[in-house]
Amino acid sequence: MVGGEAAAAVEELVSGVRQAADFAEQFRTYSESEKQWKARMEFILRHLPDYRDPPDGSGRLDQLLSLSMVWANHLFLGCSYNKDLLDKVMEMADGIEVEDLPQFTTRSELMKKIVTFLRKAIESMVLHCVTFRKLKQMHHSFTDEKAWIVTTVCNSMRAQPGPTEPDFSRMSAERAAAPGPQIPVPVGPP
C-alpha cells in the first residue's frame, strides 16, 4: 500500500507542477526566446506562492511579474536598474541556472575605452606636430646654411679673376663668426 500512496503523491505533485506551468504560460511575452522564457518561468514559479494575489486585489502577482521582467531584462538584455532593485531580484533568482548568457559592456566601460582612445590619438597628434615643427626648423636651418655657403662661394669666385678653387677654410672661419646654427663646412676639396 505504501507504494500506491507514494505514486498518488507523485501524481498529485506532477499535476500541481503542470497546473503551475500552465498558469505561468499566460505571462510569456511574444518576444521572449525559449531560453529566456524558461528562466523567467522558473523565477515566477519559484516565488508564486509568496506573491499570490490576496482577496483584496492588492496586485502582488503584478509585482512578481514586474520583478521577473527586471531580472530577465538585466540578464538577457543588459538593462541596468536601481542597485537595491537589482540586489533584490538577483537574490530572488539565486540558484537559477542560465547557460550562455550574453556579455554586455556598460556605459562607463565604453566611456573609458573612448577616453583612452582619444587620449592616445591626441598624444599621437601632438607628437606628430612637434616632430613636424622640428623637421621644418631643421630644414629651414639647413636651407639657410646651404644658401649662405653657395652665396659665399659665388661671391668668392666673382671677386677673383680666373678659375680658382674656393677657400673653404676662410669660409668656415667667416661662418663661425656669423650668428645662427652651425653646420660644418668641408675643409678641402672633395
Side-chain angles (χ1 to χ4, degrees):
M1 222 35 200
V2 175
E5 289 175 9
V10 168
E11 181 59 37
E12 185 180 325
L13 182 62
V14 168
S15 174
V17 169
R18 258 193 233 119
Q19 286 177 348
D22 291 343
F23 174 75
E25 189 66 35
Q26 68 182 318
F27 303 115
R28 182 177 183 173
T29 62
Y30 69 91
S31 62
E32 283 180 298
S33 70
E34 192 63 36
K35 180 167 89 172
Q36 291 169 342
W37 171 240
K38 183 181 171 192
R40 195 164 78 87
M41 184 172 69
E42 186 176 343
F43 184 98
I44 293 168
L45 292 177
R46 176 187 284 190
H47 299 287
L48 192 58
D50 300 332
Y51 282 88
R52 286 263 185 211
D53 280 339
D56 67 355
S58 62
R60 300 258 309 142
L61 183 58
D62 287 340
Q63 186 180 19
L64 174 61
L65 296 174
S66 297
L67 290 170
S68 73
M69 288 302 292
V70 165
W71 177 70
N73 288 344
H74 174 70
L75 215 59
F76 295 106
L77 303 176
C79 298
S80 60
Y81 297 92
N82 174 293
K83 183 183 178 340
D84 294 335
L85 178 60
L86 275 179
D87 289 346
K88 178 178 182 169
V89 296
M90 295 311 280
E91 181 182 322
M92 290 173 73
D94 190 37
I96 298 176
E97 297 293 326
V98 182
E99 295 179 4
D100 302 324
L101 286 174
Q103 298 296 317
F104 298 100
T105 302
T106 64
R107 182 181 179 276
S108 60
E109 290 170 339
L110 188 59
M111 290 305 292
K112 277 183 187 176
K113 288 180 182 180
I114 291 171
V115 167
T116 301
F117 171 78
L118 290 176
R119 183 174 289 130
K120 288 180 180 180
I122 290 171
E123 288 172 356
S124 176
M125 288 171 54
V126 167
L127 180 63
H128 174 76
C129 288
V130 168
T131 303
F132 179 76
R133 284 185 186 154
K134 188 65 179 170
L135 286 172
K136 188 175 177 182
Q137 181 184 18
M138 289 172 62
H139 173 73
H140 287 307
S141 175
F142 176 74
T143 304
D144 292 346
E145 189 72 24
K146 183 175 138 188
W148 182 84
I149 291 171
V150 169
T151 303
T152 304
V153 168
C154 288
N155 289 342
S156 168
M157 293 176 82
R158 277 192 214 136
Q160 298 177 358
T164 59
E165 298 243 346
D167 184 4
F168 287 108
S169 58
R170 182 181 55 79
M171 287 173 31
S172 182
E174 287 175 5
R175 185 62 186 140
Q182 301 295 317
I183 296 178
V185 178
V187 178

